[in-house]
């Protein structure tokens, strides 16, 4: 009997069996997601709050018909929130698997939303835009003046669900179980909610052009590879945030956040000139952001973090302070020490040798070490698709290893708080010196009338 039970399939709230094609896959994913958003209030609110939707009762529908000219259109879903007299409504368009969003279809739905007085159009697909808030599909900007256009990747949806259930919490146990069933469904390969799969059709040609030094900014696919790299970093933050239970974000300057094209142009320029693509991610409560660099010419991917050195103590003490915190890091981890008011590279050594002799990181004991750079370097995968030897997996793996072996163990230096000096108990003074009162200088190293050489001579 036990052998039979092991071969049985447990009944699931949202089964993956019976999915016969892309259309059924999209319909089932849409219905499952929207239903759970309406039932599990914390999850629905977590997804909709960043879009500016009000808090209130969430109603969800699928395949709502609308007249558009002489034809009928059926957006995949509709979300409505009511709060008092206020109503917020958004159409939903969903793609699963390798299907991509289409400009013409989105512009049609934007027109419908505007004519109906709706507030937004939400798209969901496996496309991951380079930056949070960006949309992977270009549409006529005039059509989004009155209707907001938002995008969720399935990775974002899954990460939000895991964060809510496992870390932030769901108040109702039955609702928590329902959210768990959605997570189980989205994690199944047949659901169509895939993770990042490849670096795009132009990856091989761009990679070869970088290696030969012939890549030009206007070459076909160069901008797409740059966008895919930023999309990969975005995927890394969502994946890592899901594991850590916190919001991991990409680091952008204010100018780049205001104008994403500046970031894209900067990475493209670096790729053409040096064969490198660089970005940074920030994990809450860590010592500093993690900088990730993919060097296509050197076939290396690096993770690096800067650590401020202690503001006091000798140089060798500062080095030992850092080395003690790197007990889990591999010996091939590189440490570079920078002294104050110096230009150019610092003194570098591998962690294995620095453990044996910390002085190898000290060029001049009289100079103050200002900061350290800790770097992990691994071979860069070259394959376009996921799997062994792939570019995507090599980046994901080094970020995971660098965080688990290095960053999570480093605590920034904090000065020791000033110590309160203990005074001797007050004693009764003889009548002849009764005017002498207890002073903050009593017991100090200097200026103490009871211990100075002058007072001894006077006595």
């Amino acid at each position: 009997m036990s052998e039979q039970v092991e071969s049985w399939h447990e009944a699931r709230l949202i089964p993956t069996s019976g999915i016969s094609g892309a259309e059924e896959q999209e319909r089932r994913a849409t219905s499952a997601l929207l239903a759970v958003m309406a039932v599990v209030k914390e999850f629905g609110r977590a997804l909709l709050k960043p879009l500016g939707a009000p808090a209130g009762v969430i109603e969800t529908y699928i395949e709502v018909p609308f007249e558009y000219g002489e034809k009928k259109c059926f957006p995949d879903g509709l979300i409505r929130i009511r709060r008092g007299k206020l109503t917020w409504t958004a159409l939903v368009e969903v793609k699963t698997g390798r299907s991509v969003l289409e400009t013409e279809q989105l512009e049609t739905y934007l027109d419908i939303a505007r004519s109906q007085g709706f507030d937004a159009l939400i798209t969901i697909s496996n496309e991951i835009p380079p930056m949070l808030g960006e949309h992977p599909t270009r549409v006529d900007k005039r059509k989004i003046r009155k209707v907001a256009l938002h995008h969720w990747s399935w990775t974002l949806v899954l990460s939000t669900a895991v964060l809510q259930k496992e870390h932030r919490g769901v108040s109702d146990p039955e609702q928590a179980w329902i959210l768990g069933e959605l997570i189980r469904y989205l994690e199944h390969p047949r659901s169509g909610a895939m993770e990042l799969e490849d670096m795009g059709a132009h990856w091989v040609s761009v990679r070869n052009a970088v290696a030969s030094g012939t890549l030009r900014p206007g070459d076909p696919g160069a901008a797409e590879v740059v966008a895919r790299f930023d999309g990969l970093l975005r995927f890394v933050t969502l994946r890592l945030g899901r594991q850590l239970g916190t919001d991991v974000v990409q680091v952008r300057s204010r100018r780049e956040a205001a104008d994403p094209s500046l970031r894209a142009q900067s990475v493209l320029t670096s790729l053409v000139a040096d064969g490198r693509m660089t970005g940074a991610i920030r994990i809450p409560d860590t010592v500093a952001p993690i900088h990730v660099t993919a060097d296509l010419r050197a076939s290396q991917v690096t993770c690096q973090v800067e650590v401020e050195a202690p503001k006091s103590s000798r140089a060798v003490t500062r080095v030992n302070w850092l080395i003690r915190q790197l007990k889990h890091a591999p010996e091939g981890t590189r440490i570079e020490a920078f002294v104050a008011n110096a230009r150019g590279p610092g003194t570098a050594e591998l962690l294995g040798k620095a453990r044996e002799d910390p002085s190898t990181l000290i060029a001049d004991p009289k100079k103050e070490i200002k900061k350290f750079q800790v770097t992990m370097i691994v071979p860069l995968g070259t394959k376009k698709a996921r799997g062994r030897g792939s570019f995507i997996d090599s980046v994901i793996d080094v970020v995971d290893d660098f965080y688990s072996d290095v960053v999570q163990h480093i605590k920034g230096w904090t000065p020791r708080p000033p110590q309160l000096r203990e005074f001797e108990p007050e004693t009764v003074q003889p009548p002849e010196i009764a005017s002498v009162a207890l002073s903050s200088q009593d017991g100090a190293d200097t200026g103490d009338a009871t211990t100075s050489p002058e007072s001894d001579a006077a006595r």
Side-chain angles (χ1 to χ4, degrees):
M1 181 67 177
S2 61
E3 294 180 357
Q4 288 181 330
V5 172
E6 289 178 1
S7 65
W8 294 350
H9 296 285
E10 186 177 354
R12 301 256 66 101
L13 181 66
I14 314 169
T16 54
S17 59
I19 298 177
S20 56
E23 187 175 343
E24 169 63 24
Q25 197 177 60
E26 289 179 4
R27 183 182 297 109
R28 193 174 300 195
T30 303
S31 185
L33 172 61
L34 296 185
V36 174
M37 286 177 62
V39 172
V40 186
K41 299 177 179 62
E42 294 95 338
F43 173 59
R45 184 65 182 147
L47 282 173
L48 293 169
K49 183 180 178 180
L51 309 188
V57 178
I58 300 175
E59 303 171 4
T60 56
Y61 308 87
I62 64 167
E63 298 182 338
V64 180
F66 292 97
E67 298 288 341
Y68 183 73
E70 298 180 355
K71 62 179 182 179
K72 273 194 174 183
C73 292
F74 296 83
D76 291 318
L78 183 146
I79 300 172
R80 174 170 291 164
I81 301 176
R82 299 180 188 273
R83 184 176 183 180
K85 295 182 179 180
L86 178 66
T87 300
W88 184 92
T89 308
L91 295 178
V92 180
E93 174 58 19
V94 176
K95 299 292 183 184
T96 55
R98 297 183 182 276
S99 300
V100 297
L101 299 163
E102 300 173 357
T103 299
E104 183 179 356
Q105 186 179 40
L106 298 190
E107 290 183 347
T108 297
Y109 292 162
L110 286 169
D111 289 340
I112 293 174
R114 181 174 53 81
S115 66
Q116 297 292 324
F118 295 162
D119 300 274
L121 169 63
I122 302 171
T123 60
I124 309 172
S125 73
N126 284 306
E127 300 162 273
I128 301 178
M131 181 179 174
L132 180 64
E134 286 189 69
H135 200 279
T137 307
R138 291 185 178 182
V139 298
D140 187 341
K141 291 185 177 180
R142 294 173 296 180
K143 295 184 179 294
I144 55 177
R145 289 175 181 172
K146 294 186 178 181
V147 180
L149 179 62
H150 304 289
H151 179 72
W152 295 334
S153 67
W154 282 112
T155 300
L156 172 64
V157 172
L158 177 58
S159 298
T160 303
V162 173
L163 278 173
Q164 193 65 54
K165 181 178 184 294
E166 303 296 337
H167 302 284
R168 296 170 183 161
V170 178
S171 57
D172 185 281
E174 292 182 353
Q175 291 183 14
W177 178 81
I178 291 172
L179 184 57
E181 288 294 288
L182 176 65
I183 293 170
R184 190 185 298 273
Y185 175 78
L186 294 179
E187 289 179 336
H188 196 282
R190 296 189 66 185
S191 70
M194 303 185 306
E195 295 187 333
L196 189 65
E197 287 295 308
D198 61 55
M199 286 298 293
H202 297 281
W203 166 251
V204 175
S205 61
V206 171
R207 182 197 66 199
N208 292 339
V210 169
S212 62
T214 58
L215 184 67
R216 299 293 181 267
D219 285 355
E224 179 188 330
V225 167
V226 166
R228 290 265 179 170
F229 175 73
D230 268 352
L232 171 58
L233 290 184
R234 173 73 180 141
F235 174 75
V236 168
T237 64
L238 292 170
R239 184 177 177 276
L240 197 55
R242 191 166 76 216
Q243 295 172 326
L244 299 176
T246 189
D247 293 317
V248 182
V249 298
Q250 289 172 269
V251 177
R252 297 289 177 91
S253 67
R254 289 184 178 180
R255 291 184 63 199
E256 289 175 343
D259 185 1
S261 64
L262 295 177
R263 160 72 184 169
Q265 185 58 47
S266 174
V267 179
L268 180 59
T269 300
S270 176
L271 180 63
V272 172
D274 307 315
R276 297 177 180 176
M277 294 185 290
T278 303
I281 62 175
R282 180 182 290 112
I283 303 168
D285 302 322
T286 54
V287 67
I290 297 175
H291 293 266
V292 184
T293 301
D295 190 333
L296 274 62
R297 287 183 184 169
S299 294
Q300 294 178 335
V301 57
T302 67
C303 279
Q304 186 178 89
V305 67
E306 286 193 357
V307 183
E308 294 293 324
K311 299 278 191 294
S312 62
S313 73
R314 298 176 301 147
V316 68
T317 306
R318 299 184 185 201
V319 172
N320 283 326
W321 168 84
L322 178 64
I323 291 176
R324 281 196 302 270
Q325 299 189 76
L326 299 178
K327 59 183 179 181
H328 299 285
E331 293 189 347
T333 304
R334 190 182 74 193
I335 303 175
E336 193 167 1
F338 296 86
V339 298
N341 303 319
R343 296 181 178 180
T347 305
E349 188 54 86
L350 297 182
L351 178 58
K353 292 185 178 180
R355 283 171 175 158
E356 298 174 0
D357 183 8
S359 65
T360 56
L361 284 166
I362 304 171
D364 186 345
K366 296 181 181 180
K367 293 185 177 180
E368 177 190 8
I369 295 179
K370 196 71 174 176
K371 68 177 181 180
F372 300 98
Q373 279 185 352
V374 185
T375 306
M376 181 179 288
I377 306 173
V378 301
L380 180 68
T382 58
K383 294 181 180 178
K384 178 184 76 169
R386 294 290 298 272
R388 185 176 181 181
S390 80
F391 175 81
I392 294 173
D393 285 278
S394 63
V395 173
I396 292 172
D397 290 344
V398 72
V399 172
D400 285 352
D401 292 343
F402 189 65
Y403 180 77
S404 63
D405 295 341
V406 177
V407 177
Q408 71 173 344
H409 302 290
I410 299 178
K411 293 182 179 179
W413 178 81
T414 55
R416 185 185 181 190
Q419 303 298 297
L420 185 66
R421 195 174 71 207
E422 296 183 3
F423 291 101
E424 293 293 331
E426 184 176 358
T427 58
V428 178
Q429 302 292 337
E432 61 272 17
I433 57 173
S435 62
V436 178
L438 183 65
S439 167
S440 65
Q441 298 302 297
D442 293 342
D445 293 337
T446 60
D448 188 347
T450 62
T451 58
S452 65
E454 291 80 0
S455 64
D456 289 343
R459 286 198 297 272

